[in-house]
Amino acid sequence: QVQLAESGGGLVTEGASLRLSCTASGGTFNRYVIGWFRQAPGKEREFVAAISWSFGGTYFADFVGGRFTLSRDHARNTVDLQMNSLKPEDTAVYYCAAGSVITGTSSIYDYWGQGTQVTVSS
């Protein structure tokens, strides 16, 4: 059973960048889709982006608007979410998840990390 761990969160000012990483242990990302979700205080968890580990295809939520990119590092067994031009409304706990289908529906994902906090101040 694969276990996921997020890293890279922090406090930044508006317009800054952050790079979040999702690392697998107890297994590899082979055949998985890795998704990123976020949850702000008082709001439901929402889809951010997803990438197919095998094929590299990506899928982004509309609100991303070209600000975020996804990449995979086979040597590190890691998926990175590069977030640029951050806005205060991007403040949330960011989670990575592993599933078998590239989708924005959180219930489809089987494994989840514990999350990492991203705070963007204005």
Side-chain angles (χ1 to χ4, degrees), residues 33-38 45-51 58-63 97 101-109 112:
V33 167
I34 307 305
W36 283 93
F37 292 79
R38 69 185 188 183
R45 188 170 297 186
E46 67 175 343
F47 171 72
V48 177
I51 185 169
T58 56
Y59 172 42
F60 292 91
D62 289 342
F63 71 80
V101 178
I102 194 163
T103 176
T105 304
S106 61
S107 60
I108 302 299
Y109 289 82
W112 290 81

PDB file of all heavy atoms in Angstrom, residues 33-38 45-51 58-63 97 101-109 112:
ATOM      1  N   VAL A  33      -2.524   7.691 -10.944  1.00  0.00           N
ATOM      2  CA  VAL A  33      -2.733   9.110 -11.222  1.00  0.00           C
ATOM      3  C   VAL A  33      -2.524   9.826  -9.896  1.00  0.00           C
ATOM      4  O   VAL A  33      -3.048   9.392  -8.855  1.00  0.00           O
ATOM      5  CB  VAL A  33      -4.150   9.370 -11.758  1.00  0.00           C
ATOM      6  CG1 VAL A  33      -4.462  10.862 -11.751  1.00  0.00           C
ATOM      7  CG2 VAL A  33      -4.296   8.789 -13.153  1.00  0.00           C
ATOM      8  N   ILE A  34      -1.756  10.897  -9.919  1.00  0.00           N
ATOM      9  CA  ILE A  34      -1.513  11.677  -8.705  1.00  0.00           C
ATOM     10  C   ILE A  34      -2.279  12.987  -8.814  1.00  0.00           C
ATOM     11  O   ILE A  34      -2.086  13.743  -9.763  1.00  0.00           O
ATOM     12  CB  ILE A  34      -0.015  11.965  -8.515  1.00  0.00           C
ATOM     13  CG1 ILE A  34       0.781  10.662  -8.576  1.00  0.00           C
ATOM     14  CG2 ILE A  34       0.207  12.688  -7.185  1.00  0.00           C
ATOM     15  CD1 ILE A  34       0.317   9.608  -7.598  1.00  0.00           C
ATOM     16  N   GLY A  35      -3.146  13.190  -7.856  1.00  0.00           N
ATOM     17  CA  GLY A  35      -3.948  14.409  -7.846  1.00  0.00           C
ATOM     18  C   GLY A  35      -3.567  15.313  -6.686  1.00  0.00           C
ATOM     19  O   GLY A  35      -3.075  14.851  -5.657  1.00  0.00           O
ATOM     20  N   TRP A  36      -3.791  16.591  -6.882  1.00  0.00           N
ATOM     21  CA  TRP A  36      -3.626  17.583  -5.817  1.00  0.00           C
ATOM     22  C   TRP A  36      -4.984  18.220  -5.548  1.00  0.00           C
ATOM     23  O   TRP A  36      -5.691  18.614  -6.488  1.00  0.00           O
ATOM     24  CB  TRP A  36      -2.619  18.658  -6.212  1.00  0.00           C
ATOM     25  CG  TRP A  36      -1.189  18.236  -6.131  1.00  0.00           C
ATOM     26  CD1 TRP A  36      -0.427  17.718  -7.135  1.00  0.00           C
ATOM     27  CD2 TRP A  36      -0.351  18.290  -4.976  1.00  0.00           C
ATOM     28  NE1 TRP A  36       0.834  17.442  -6.672  1.00  0.00           N
ATOM     29  CE2 TRP A  36       0.916  17.783  -5.348  1.00  0.00           C
ATOM     30  CE3 TRP A  36      -0.527  18.712  -3.650  1.00  0.00           C
ATOM     31  CZ2 TRP A  36       1.997  17.701  -4.459  1.00  0.00           C
ATOM     32  CZ3 TRP A  36       0.540  18.629  -2.771  1.00  0.00           C
ATOM     33  CH2 TRP A  36       1.785  18.115  -3.169  1.00  0.00           C
ATOM     34  N   PHE A  37      -5.313  18.316  -4.287  1.00  0.00           N
ATOM     35  CA  PHE A  37      -6.547  18.943  -3.845  1.00  0.00           C
ATOM     36  C   PHE A  37      -6.188  19.968  -2.768  1.00  0.00           C
ATOM     37  O   PHE A  37      -5.088  19.934  -2.210  1.00  0.00           O
ATOM     38  CB  PHE A  37      -7.515  17.905  -3.263  1.00  0.00           C
ATOM     39  CG  PHE A  37      -8.062  16.948  -4.280  1.00  0.00           C
ATOM     40  CD1 PHE A  37      -7.292  15.875  -4.727  1.00  0.00           C
ATOM     41  CD2 PHE A  37      -9.331  17.110  -4.799  1.00  0.00           C
ATOM     42  CE1 PHE A  37      -7.779  14.987  -5.677  1.00  0.00           C
ATOM     43  CE2 PHE A  37      -9.839  16.231  -5.745  1.00  0.00           C
ATOM     44  CZ  PHE A  37      -9.066  15.164  -6.184  1.00  0.00           C
ATOM     45  N   ARG A  38      -7.138  20.839  -2.463  1.00  0.00           N
ATOM     46  CA  ARG A  38      -6.896  21.790  -1.387  1.00  0.00           C
ATOM     47  C   ARG A  38      -8.194  22.025  -0.627  1.00  0.00           C
ATOM     48  O   ARG A  38      -9.290  21.839  -1.172  1.00  0.00           O
ATOM     49  CB  ARG A  38      -6.348  23.108  -1.942  1.00  0.00           C
ATOM     50  CG  ARG A  38      -7.328  23.923  -2.763  1.00  0.00           C
ATOM     51  CD  ARG A  38      -6.636  25.135  -3.345  1.00  0.00           C
ATOM     52  NE  ARG A  38      -7.585  26.039  -3.980  1.00  0.00           N
ATOM     53  CZ  ARG A  38      -7.244  27.150  -4.614  1.00  0.00           C
ATOM     54  NH1 ARG A  38      -5.950  27.493  -4.708  1.00  0.00           N
ATOM     55  NH2 ARG A  38      -8.156  27.923  -5.152  1.00  0.00           N
ATOM     56  N   ARG A  45     -13.268  20.465   0.217  1.00  0.00           N
ATOM     57  CA  ARG A  45     -12.046  20.135  -0.504  1.00  0.00           C
ATOM     58  C   ARG A  45     -12.302  20.281  -2.000  1.00  0.00           C
ATOM     59  O   ARG A  45     -13.335  19.841  -2.518  1.00  0.00           O
ATOM     60  CB  ARG A  45     -11.622  18.711  -0.174  1.00  0.00           C
ATOM     61  CG  ARG A  45     -10.263  18.312  -0.700  1.00  0.00           C
ATOM     62  CD  ARG A  45      -9.819  16.990  -0.127  1.00  0.00           C
ATOM     63  NE  ARG A  45      -9.656  17.057   1.327  1.00  0.00           N
ATOM     64  CZ  ARG A  45      -9.153  16.052   2.050  1.00  0.00           C
ATOM     65  NH1 ARG A  45      -8.776  14.930   1.469  1.00  0.00           N
ATOM     66  NH2 ARG A  45      -9.050  16.178   3.359  1.00  0.00           N
ATOM     67  N   GLU A  46     -11.359  20.906  -2.710  1.00  0.00           N
ATOM     68  CA  GLU A  46     -11.540  21.115  -4.142  1.00  0.00           C
ATOM     69  C   GLU A  46     -10.326  20.621  -4.919  1.00  0.00           C
ATOM     70  O   GLU A  46      -9.191  20.626  -4.428  1.00  0.00           O
ATOM     71  CB  GLU A  46     -11.812  22.595  -4.460  1.00  0.00           C
ATOM     72  CG  GLU A  46     -10.660  23.533  -4.212  1.00  0.00           C
ATOM     73  CD  GLU A  46     -10.962  24.957  -4.675  1.00  0.00           C
ATOM     74  OE1 GLU A  46     -11.913  25.167  -5.456  1.00  0.00           O
ATOM     75  OE2 GLU A  46     -10.215  25.866  -4.266  1.00  0.00           O
ATOM     76  N   PHE A  47     -10.587  20.221  -6.130  1.00  0.00           N
ATOM     77  CA  PHE A  47      -9.565  19.710  -7.025  1.00  0.00           C
ATOM     78  C   PHE A  47      -8.679  20.845  -7.521  1.00  0.00           C
ATOM     79  O   PHE A  47      -9.174  21.926  -7.853  1.00  0.00           O
ATOM     80  CB  PHE A  47     -10.221  19.001  -8.209  1.00  0.00           C
ATOM     81  CG  PHE A  47      -9.286  18.611  -9.308  1.00  0.00           C
ATOM     82  CD1 PHE A  47      -8.396  17.564  -9.137  1.00  0.00           C
ATOM     83  CD2 PHE A  47      -9.295  19.292 -10.511  1.00  0.00           C
ATOM     84  CE1 PHE A  47      -7.530  17.191 -10.152  1.00  0.00           C
ATOM     85  CE2 PHE A  47      -8.434  18.934 -11.538  1.00  0.00           C
ATOM     86  CZ  PHE A  47      -7.544  17.883 -11.354  1.00  0.00           C
ATOM     87  N   VAL A  48      -7.365  20.560  -7.617  1.00  0.00           N
ATOM     88  CA  VAL A  48      -6.408  21.533  -8.129  1.00  0.00           C
ATOM     89  C   VAL A  48      -5.824  21.047  -9.454  1.00  0.00           C
ATOM     90  O   VAL A  48      -5.883  21.749 -10.464  1.00  0.00           O
ATOM     91  CB  VAL A  48      -5.266  21.776  -7.121  1.00  0.00           C
ATOM     92  CG1 VAL A  48      -4.241  22.740  -7.705  1.00  0.00           C
ATOM     93  CG2 VAL A  48      -5.812  22.298  -5.794  1.00  0.00           C
ATOM     94  N   ALA A  49      -5.239  19.849  -9.454  1.00  0.00           N
ATOM     95  CA  ALA A  49      -4.556  19.350 -10.646  1.00  0.00           C
ATOM     96  C   ALA A  49      -4.285  17.869 -10.484  1.00  0.00           C
ATOM     97  O   ALA A  49      -4.302  17.335  -9.369  1.00  0.00           O
ATOM     98  CB  ALA A  49      -3.239  20.096 -10.856  1.00  0.00           C
ATOM     99  N   ALA A  50      -4.019  17.190 -11.612  1.00  0.00           N
ATOM    100  CA  ALA A  50      -3.685  15.770 -11.581  1.00  0.00           C
ATOM    101  C   ALA A  50      -2.761  15.439 -12.737  1.00  0.00           C
ATOM    102  O   ALA A  50      -2.789  16.110 -13.775  1.00  0.00           O
ATOM    103  CB  ALA A  50      -4.955  14.907 -11.642  1.00  0.00           C
ATOM    104  N   ILE A  51      -1.968  14.395 -12.527  1.00  0.00           N
ATOM    105  CA  ILE A  51      -1.032  13.948 -13.561  1.00  0.00           C
ATOM    106  C   ILE A  51      -0.991  12.433 -13.593  1.00  0.00           C
ATOM    107  O   ILE A  51      -1.036  11.780 -12.544  1.00  0.00           O
ATOM    108  CB  ILE A  51       0.388  14.527 -13.304  1.00  0.00           C
ATOM    109  CG1 ILE A  51       1.336  14.159 -14.450  1.00  0.00           C
ATOM    110  CG2 ILE A  51       0.938  14.072 -11.958  1.00  0.00           C
ATOM    111  CD1 ILE A  51       2.664  14.924 -14.402  1.00  0.00           C
ATOM    112  N   THR A  58      -1.748  15.752 -18.040  1.00  0.00           N
ATOM    113  CA  THR A  58      -2.144  16.573 -16.897  1.00  0.00           C
ATOM    114  C   THR A  58      -3.549  17.133 -17.065  1.00  0.00           C
ATOM    115  O   THR A  58      -4.074  17.218 -18.176  1.00  0.00           O
ATOM    116  CB  THR A  58      -1.168  17.741 -16.687  1.00  0.00           C
ATOM    117  OG1 THR A  58      -1.078  18.509 -17.899  1.00  0.00           O
ATOM    118  CG2 THR A  58       0.216  17.250 -16.304  1.00  0.00           C
ATOM    119  N   TYR A  59      -4.112  17.534 -15.941  1.00  0.00           N
ATOM    120  CA  TYR A  59      -5.477  18.058 -15.918  1.00  0.00           C
ATOM    121  C   TYR A  59      -5.516  19.083 -14.793  1.00  0.00           C
ATOM    122  O   TYR A  59      -5.110  18.772 -13.666  1.00  0.00           O
ATOM    123  CB  TYR A  59      -6.447  16.906 -15.673  1.00  0.00           C
ATOM    124  CG  TYR A  59      -7.892  17.267 -15.429  1.00  0.00           C
ATOM    125  CD1 TYR A  59      -8.542  18.240 -16.170  1.00  0.00           C
ATOM    126  CD2 TYR A  59      -8.623  16.586 -14.461  1.00  0.00           C
ATOM    127  CE1 TYR A  59      -9.872  18.536 -15.946  1.00  0.00           C
ATOM    128  CE2 TYR A  59      -9.958  16.874 -14.239  1.00  0.00           C
ATOM    129  CZ  TYR A  59     -10.572  17.849 -14.977  1.00  0.00           C
ATOM    130  OH  TYR A  59     -11.894  18.144 -14.758  1.00  0.00           O
ATOM    131  N   PHE A  60      -5.996  20.295 -15.097  1.00  0.00           N
ATOM    132  CA  PHE A  60      -5.994  21.370 -14.111  1.00  0.00           C
ATOM    133  C   PHE A  60      -7.394  21.926 -13.919  1.00  0.00           C
ATOM    134  O   PHE A  60      -8.202  21.974 -14.849  1.00  0.00           O
ATOM    135  CB  PHE A  60      -5.064  22.505 -14.558  1.00  0.00           C
ATOM    136  CG  PHE A  60      -3.618  22.149 -14.559  1.00  0.00           C
ATOM    137  CD1 PHE A  60      -3.023  21.629 -15.690  1.00  0.00           C
ATOM    138  CD2 PHE A  60      -2.838  22.329 -13.429  1.00  0.00           C
ATOM    139  CE1 PHE A  60      -1.673  21.280 -15.697  1.00  0.00           C
ATOM    140  CE2 PHE A  60      -1.493  21.999 -13.421  1.00  0.00           C
ATOM    141  CZ  PHE A  60      -0.912  21.473 -14.557  1.00  0.00           C
ATOM    142  N   ALA A  61      -7.659  22.382 -12.710  1.00  0.00           N
ATOM    143  CA  ALA A  61      -8.902  23.090 -12.443  1.00  0.00           C
ATOM    144  C   ALA A  61      -8.877  24.439 -13.161  1.00  0.00           C
ATOM    145  O   ALA A  61      -7.798  25.015 -13.385  1.00  0.00           O
ATOM    146  CB  ALA A  61      -9.072  23.302 -10.946  1.00  0.00           C
ATOM    147  N   ASP A  62     -10.031  24.947 -13.492  1.00  0.00           N
ATOM    148  CA  ASP A  62     -10.112  26.210 -14.239  1.00  0.00           C
ATOM    149  C   ASP A  62      -9.482  27.377 -13.485  1.00  0.00           C
ATOM    150  O   ASP A  62      -8.859  28.256 -14.094  1.00  0.00           O
ATOM    151  CB  ASP A  62     -11.574  26.529 -14.560  1.00  0.00           C
ATOM    152  CG  ASP A  62     -12.152  25.595 -15.606  1.00  0.00           C
ATOM    153  OD1 ASP A  62     -11.359  24.948 -16.325  1.00  0.00           O
ATOM    154  OD2 ASP A  62     -13.391  25.526 -15.709  1.00  0.00           O
ATOM    155  N   PHE A  63      -9.615  27.390 -12.166  1.00  0.00           N
ATOM    156  CA  PHE A  63      -9.113  28.538 -11.410  1.00  0.00           C
ATOM    157  C   PHE A  63      -7.592  28.652 -11.462  1.00  0.00           C
ATOM    158  O   PHE A  63      -7.035  29.709 -11.177  1.00  0.00           O
ATOM    159  CB  PHE A  63      -9.577  28.488  -9.949  1.00  0.00           C
ATOM    160  CG  PHE A  63      -8.911  27.421  -9.120  1.00  0.00           C
ATOM    161  CD1 PHE A  63      -7.641  27.613  -8.600  1.00  0.00           C
ATOM    162  CD2 PHE A  63      -9.561  26.224  -8.847  1.00  0.00           C
ATOM    163  CE1 PHE A  63      -7.019  26.643  -7.833  1.00  0.00           C
ATOM    164  CE2 PHE A  63      -8.955  25.243  -8.088  1.00  0.00           C
ATOM    165  CZ  PHE A  63      -7.681  25.447  -7.586  1.00  0.00           C
ATOM    166  N   ALA A  97      -2.987  12.912  -3.604  1.00  0.00           N
ATOM    167  CA  ALA A  97      -3.736  11.670  -3.545  1.00  0.00           C
ATOM    168  C   ALA A  97      -3.365  10.806  -4.741  1.00  0.00           C
ATOM    169  O   ALA A  97      -2.966  11.333  -5.784  1.00  0.00           O
ATOM    170  CB  ALA A  97      -5.233  11.963  -3.541  1.00  0.00           C
ATOM    171  N   VAL A 101      -7.610   6.798 -11.948  1.00  0.00           N
ATOM    172  CA  VAL A 101      -8.244   7.523 -13.050  1.00  0.00           C
ATOM    173  C   VAL A 101      -7.943   9.002 -12.890  1.00  0.00           C
ATOM    174  O   VAL A 101      -8.020   9.540 -11.781  1.00  0.00           O
ATOM    175  CB  VAL A 101      -9.774   7.308 -13.041  1.00  0.00           C
ATOM    176  CG1 VAL A 101     -10.427   8.100 -14.163  1.00  0.00           C
ATOM    177  CG2 VAL A 101     -10.105   5.826 -13.163  1.00  0.00           C
ATOM    178  N   ILE A 102      -7.630   9.667 -13.985  1.00  0.00           N
ATOM    179  CA  ILE A 102      -7.365  11.097 -13.915  1.00  0.00           C
ATOM    180  C   ILE A 102      -8.709  11.820 -13.874  1.00  0.00           C
ATOM    181  O   ILE A 102      -9.475  11.848 -14.827  1.00  0.00           O
ATOM    182  CB  ILE A 102      -6.469  11.572 -15.084  1.00  0.00           C
ATOM    183  CG1 ILE A 102      -5.939  12.967 -14.812  1.00  0.00           C
ATOM    184  CG2 ILE A 102      -7.140  11.442 -16.424  1.00  0.00           C
ATOM    185  CD1 ILE A 102      -4.746  13.371 -15.666  1.00  0.00           C
ATOM    186  N   THR A 103      -9.000  12.390 -12.718  1.00  0.00           N
ATOM    187  CA  THR A 103     -10.295  12.979 -12.473  1.00  0.00           C
ATOM    188  C   THR A 103     -10.179  14.042 -11.395  1.00  0.00           C
ATOM    189  O   THR A 103      -9.234  14.036 -10.599  1.00  0.00           O
ATOM    190  CB  THR A 103     -11.313  11.912 -12.034  1.00  0.00           C
ATOM    191  OG1 THR A 103     -12.553  12.553 -11.712  1.00  0.00           O
ATOM    192  CG2 THR A 103     -10.821  11.155 -10.804  1.00  0.00           C
ATOM    193  N   GLY A 104     -11.166  14.924 -11.354  1.00  0.00           N
ATOM    194  CA  GLY A 104     -11.201  15.923 -10.302  1.00  0.00           C
ATOM    195  C   GLY A 104     -12.100  15.520  -9.145  1.00  0.00           C
ATOM    196  O   GLY A 104     -12.297  16.308  -8.217  1.00  0.00           O
ATOM    197  N   THR A 105     -12.611  14.324  -9.167  1.00  0.00           N
ATOM    198  CA  THR A 105     -13.504  13.832  -8.119  1.00  0.00           C
ATOM    199  C   THR A 105     -12.697  13.167  -7.013  1.00  0.00           C
ATOM    200  O   THR A 105     -12.071  12.138  -7.238  1.00  0.00           O
ATOM    201  CB  THR A 105     -14.518  12.831  -8.697  1.00  0.00           C
ATOM    202  OG1 THR A 105     -15.232  13.452  -9.761  1.00  0.00           O
ATOM    203  CG2 THR A 105     -15.472  12.349  -7.632  1.00  0.00           C
ATOM    204  N   SER A 106     -12.721  13.751  -5.834  1.00  0.00           N
ATOM    205  CA  SER A 106     -11.854  13.273  -4.753  1.00  0.00           C
ATOM    206  C   SER A 106     -12.178  11.849  -4.312  1.00  0.00           C
ATOM    207  O   SER A 106     -11.280  11.100  -3.923  1.00  0.00           O
ATOM    208  CB  SER A 106     -11.947  14.221  -3.559  1.00  0.00           C
ATOM    209  OG  SER A 106     -13.268  14.280  -3.063  1.00  0.00           O
ATOM    210  N   SER A 107     -13.435  11.447  -4.389  1.00  0.00           N
ATOM    211  CA  SER A 107     -13.818  10.116  -3.916  1.00  0.00           C
ATOM    212  C   SER A 107     -13.217   8.996  -4.750  1.00  0.00           C
ATOM    213  O   SER A 107     -13.192   7.843  -4.320  1.00  0.00           O
ATOM    214  CB  SER A 107     -15.338   9.988  -3.879  1.00  0.00           C
ATOM    215  OG  SER A 107     -15.874  10.178  -5.171  1.00  0.00           O
ATOM    216  N   ILE A 108     -12.733   9.318  -5.938  1.00  0.00           N
ATOM    217  CA  ILE A 108     -12.144   8.305  -6.810  1.00  0.00           C
ATOM    218  C   ILE A 108     -10.724   7.948  -6.369  1.00  0.00           C
ATOM    219  O   ILE A 108     -10.214   6.879  -6.692  1.00  0.00           O
ATOM    220  CB  ILE A 108     -12.141   8.797  -8.271  1.00  0.00           C
ATOM    221  CG1 ILE A 108     -13.568   9.128  -8.712  1.00  0.00           C
ATOM    222  CG2 ILE A 108     -11.548   7.750  -9.207  1.00  0.00           C
ATOM    223  CD1 ILE A 108     -14.524   7.942  -8.670  1.00  0.00           C
ATOM    224  N   TYR A 109     -10.090   8.821  -5.603  1.00  0.00           N
ATOM    225  CA  TYR A 109      -8.698   8.592  -5.202  1.00  0.00           C
ATOM    226  C   TYR A 109      -8.649   7.675  -3.975  1.00  0.00           C
ATOM    227  O   TYR A 109      -9.447   7.812  -3.050  1.00  0.00           O
ATOM    228  CB  TYR A 109      -8.014   9.924  -4.925  1.00  0.00           C
ATOM    229  CG  TYR A 109      -7.775  10.711  -6.189  1.00  0.00           C
ATOM    230  CD1 TYR A 109      -8.785  11.489  -6.753  1.00  0.00           C
ATOM    231  CD2 TYR A 109      -6.548  10.651  -6.849  1.00  0.00           C
ATOM    232  CE1 TYR A 109      -8.586  12.187  -7.929  1.00  0.00           C
ATOM    233  CE2 TYR A 109      -6.337  11.357  -8.020  1.00  0.00           C
ATOM    234  CZ  TYR A 109      -7.353  12.125  -8.558  1.00  0.00           C
ATOM    235  OH  TYR A 109      -7.147  12.815  -9.726  1.00  0.00           O
ATOM    236  N   TRP A 112      -4.255   9.011   0.354  1.00  0.00           N
ATOM    237  CA  TRP A 112      -4.116  10.444   0.614  1.00  0.00           C
ATOM    238  C   TRP A 112      -2.953  10.710   1.553  1.00  0.00           C
ATOM    239  O   TRP A 112      -2.662   9.906   2.452  1.00  0.00           O
ATOM    240  CB  TRP A 112      -5.398  10.985   1.264  1.00  0.00           C
ATOM    241  CG  TRP A 112      -6.558  11.022   0.329  1.00  0.00           C
ATOM    242  CD1 TRP A 112      -7.371   9.986  -0.015  1.00  0.00           C
ATOM    243  CD2 TRP A 112      -7.030  12.155  -0.401  1.00  0.00           C
ATOM    244  NE1 TRP A 112      -8.311  10.406  -0.914  1.00  0.00           N
ATOM    245  CE2 TRP A 112      -8.136  11.730  -1.172  1.00  0.00           C
ATOM    246  CE3 TRP A 112      -6.623  13.494  -0.484  1.00  0.00           C
ATOM    247  CZ2 TRP A 112      -8.839  12.596  -2.012  1.00  0.00           C
ATOM    248  CZ3 TRP A 112      -7.321  14.353  -1.316  1.00  0.00           C
ATOM    249  CH2 TRP A 112      -8.412  13.908  -2.068  1.00  0.00           C
TER     250      TRP A 112
END
